[in-house]
Amino acid sequence: MSVLDLARPEIRTLQPYSSARMEAGGGQIMLNANESAWEPAGDAGSGCNRYPDPQPAPLLQALAKLYGVQREQLCVGRGSDEAIDLLVRAFCRAGQDAIVIQPPTFGMYAVSARIQNAAVIEVPLAQDFALDCDALLATITSAVKLVFLCTPNNPSGKSIGRDDIERVAQALAGKALLVVDEAYIEFSEQPSAIELIGRYEHVAVLRTLSKAWALAGARIGTLIAHPDVIGLIRRIMPPYPLPTPCVAAALAALSPSGQLAAREHIAVVREQRAFMRNALSAVLGVREVLPSDANFLAVRFDDAGAVYQRLQQAGIVVRDVRRYPNLQDALRITIGTPEENAKVLAVLNEMTADKVQA
Ligand SMILES: *Cc1c(COP(=O)(O)O)cnc(C)c1O
């Protein structure tokens, strides 16, 4: 059996839209796509009067090199969010199929599934946010088409061990696609699951330039998978997913000087993460700072609501994660610059001082 047997039959046979850009060979005078012949005002040289290459070769090449895969094993879209959506649409029949997630986790898996009217099977993480492999594997039926694993997990920050990922991969062979979301892996010391793709045709990995690569605004996410899966997803991708300025920004970020800057910032985040975990643990009213392999910390407070408000009043916005299971007393705080992090500590310590006085 092929991994494509898991996909929706009507997607497998779909005749994809063929754009003018895809059909065109090279030429000097391009009169095939109803574009403007003139460059946009104030943006000369950008090339934005022309439709972009659907999958620009230089970007694919740079990302293939970065992730250590062949070009046929990846496709690039508008953030991992788009890849999540396309995977659900390609594999889950509305009203029949299901995905499996492990709350508390990233919200987009369930949102994309619900938009597609696919069921969402929840296998809660353990008290310490570890993956419950046995419970997960017990939920696998023929309706389950996608299993998402988020590592390091958002919002807990915990990674899934390599052995567990491989165990799930083995168990899902011929049954479902395993999607490993590695949005934060650059901040961790864990090995990537990309290496599994060569051995398991039903394993896919999501990577993004939004976090460690400082390009959240450019919306560049990469799906890495077996070439058959990539081919399937390319069929249902919008014709021009990558805006020209975003491709330029991505290529700049992936240049040697861009890579140097990213590595430096990742090192600062790791160092500040350790510093903040220590410092926050010493603040009165902090119950626990969860260990994190990502660029944020989930922090439990005696009164998370009051802390949220106090930070807000000081102009600091953090993420209220109290609606997530097992995090009812927690806020998620992204690691900022050392100055920004110091400000967070200053506000929290001020709060403590007020309390002690009162
Ligand atoms: C931020 C985040 C993403 C989204 O990434 P984009 O590439 O910006 O769409 C994906 N997965 C997780 C777990 C995230 O936290």
Side-chain angles (χ1 to χ4, degrees):
M1 109 160 238
S2 142
V3 62
L4 293 185
D5 293 336
L6 300 169
R8 285 169 56 199
E10 61 274 32
I11 299 293
R12 296 181 59 183
T13 55
L14 176 84
Q15 176 72 45
Y17 174 70
S18 181
S19 68
R21 177 62 71 244
M22 290 171 183
E23 285 171 7
Q28 276 79 51
I29 301 176
M30 300 300 283
L31 303 177
N32 65 334
N34 301 344
E35 299 152 338
S36 172
W38 296 273
E39 293 203 293
D43 207 12
S46 69
C48 277
N49 55 321
R50 301 293 176 187
Y51 280 106
D53 188 332
Q55 294 283 282
L59 181 59
L60 258 57
Q61 203 166 330
L63 289 168
K65 184 157 180 247
L66 179 69
Y67 299 134
V69 298
Q70 303 296 312
R71 266 202 266 173
E72 304 71 48
Q73 292 174 301
L74 59 80
C75 64
V76 191
R78 290 167 298 190
S80 323
D81 288 346
E82 179 171 46
I84 293 164
D85 182 60
L86 294 174
L87 285 166
V88 169
R89 284 202 271 164
F91 284 88
C92 295
R93 291 167 300 172
Q96 297 183 58
D97 292 332
I99 70 163
V100 176
I101 61 170
Q102 304 92 44
T105 193
F106 187 50
M108 284 306 292
Y109 316 131
V111 168
S112 291
R114 291 196 176 109
I115 291 170
Q116 175 66 10
N117 192 21
V120 178
I121 299 174
E122 300 191 338
V123 180
L125 294 171
Q127 189 63 28
D128 66 350
F129 301 99
L131 175 70
D132 186 341
C133 258
D134 293 326
L136 188 159
L137 297 180
T139 66
I140 306 304
T141 63
S142 61
V144 172
K145 290 294 159 45
L146 298 175
V147 173
F148 287 94
L149 295 182
C150 186
T151 179
N153 186 42
N154 176 11
S156 67
K158 194 178 182 88
S159 298
I160 303 171
R162 221 347 250 290
D163 293 350
D164 280 349
I165 297 175
E166 181 140 15
R167 190 178 155 211
V168 175
Q170 275 171 359
L172 294 183
K175 295 182 176 150
L177 194 73
L178 171 61
V179 185
V180 186
D181 185 344
E182 298 185 335
Y184 299 98
I185 195 155
E186 290 91 341
F187 302 107
S188 86
E189 253 140 44
Q190 298 288 319
S192 170
I194 288 171
E195 180 264 323
L196 297 176
I197 289 170
R199 291 191 280 131
Y200 302 96
E201 62 170 9
H202 63 290
V203 172
V205 173
L206 300 174
R207 298 292 291 262
T208 181
L209 298 188
S210 293
K211 309 284 161 56
W213 293 88
L215 276 181
R219 312 301 304 125
I220 305 282
T222 303
L223 169 68
I224 306 168
H226 189 280
D228 288 351
V229 174
I230 298 299
L232 185 81
I233 295 303
R234 287 284 295 122
R235 285 164 164 275
I236 61 170
M237 223 179 208
Y240 304 110
L242 303 171
T244 300
C246 298
V247 173
L251 286 172
L254 295 169
S255 70
S257 63
Q259 301 222 10
L260 204 65
R263 267 201 295 276
E264 275 172 23
H265 292 148
I266 290 166
V268 173
V269 167
R270 287 192 191 188
E271 178 266 318
Q272 285 288 303
R273 179 178 68 198
F275 166 74
M276 285 298 280
R277 181 153 190 248
N278 263 324
L280 285 166
S281 301
V283 171
L284 206 70
V286 170
R287 292 177 177 167
E288 187 188 7
V289 186
L290 300 179
S292 170
D293 285 340
N295 67 339
F296 55 80
L297 292 167
V299 186
R300 298 188 191 282
F301 293 94
D302 288 337
D303 188 349
V307 172
Y308 182 87
Q309 278 183 1
R310 183 68 172 251
L311 287 169
Q312 179 105 61
Q313 280 158 14
I316 300 170
V317 185
V318 299
R319 185 85 153 152
D320 187 346
V321 292
R322 288 178 292 166
R323 71 202 140 87
Y324 286 87
N326 198 12
L327 288 171
Q328 283 90 349
D329 56 355
L331 303 175
R332 190 192 68 193
I333 305 176
T334 307
I335 302 298
T337 63
E339 295 72 27
E340 290 171 337
N341 303 331
K343 186 80 203 287
V344 169
L345 290 175
V347 172
L348 292 181
N349 283 321
E350 233 174 64
M351 240 182 125
T352 311
D354 291 355
K355 247 188 282 173
V356 171
Q357 258 173 8

